[in-house]
Amino acid sequence: TPSAIKRLGRRNILTIEAKEVLLNAYAYFRKLETFLRVNDINTVTEGSDVTEIAGLFMEHGSTEEFLSYLRATRESVIAAVKSI
């Protein structure tokens, strides 16, 4: 949760950069999760109509941009967690 991430930041367990990465990713993935849950969808896969619609919902210009952002965000979260 955002409050836990902020507490870790205040206690210097997370760097400022890691805290921001995790907070931004949390907000983004919560919004995506809500979209998927409302539409009773479990996964986002390349080539799916749902992926195109999800990308538009998440305000990306194209499916490729959406998938690229998902990958990059995932990698950023992994790097932030490994930095602890």
Side-chain angles (χ1 to χ4, degrees), residues 2-32:
S3 60
I5 294 168
K6 290 174 186 173
R7 266 186 259 135
L8 291 171
R10 281 194 302 271
R11 293 190 175 135
N12 294 319
I13 296 169
L14 291 174
T15 64
I16 293 170
E17 296 81 16
K19 180 184 83 169
E20 291 303 315
V21 164
L22 294 175
L23 287 171
N24 291 334
Y26 181 85
Y28 183 85
F29 285 126
R30 282 290 298 196
K31 181 178 176 183
L32 178 58

Side-chain angles (χ1 to χ4, degrees), residues 5-72:
I5 294 168
K6 290 174 186 173
R7 266 186 259 135
L8 291 171
R10 281 194 302 271
R11 293 190 175 135
N12 294 319
I13 296 169
L14 291 174
T15 64
I16 293 170
E17 296 81 16
K19 180 184 83 169
E20 291 303 315
V21 164
L22 294 175
L23 287 171
N24 291 334
Y26 181 85
Y28 183 85
F29 285 126
R30 282 290 298 196
K31 181 178 176 183
L32 178 58
E33 177 191 25
T34 299
F35 170 82
L36 296 173
R37 195 174 331 147
V38 165
N39 290 287
D40 198 29
I41 301 163
N42 294 321
T43 58
V44 173
T45 57
E46 267 184 90
S48 167
D49 290 338
V50 171
T51 302
E52 183 178 344
I53 295 166
L56 293 172
F57 177 78
M58 297 303 290
E59 302 176 15
H60 292 281
S62 67
T63 302
E64 294 77 24
E65 178 187 310
F66 172 56
L67 292 172
S68 176
Y69 187 84
L70 284 178
R71 288 183 195 106

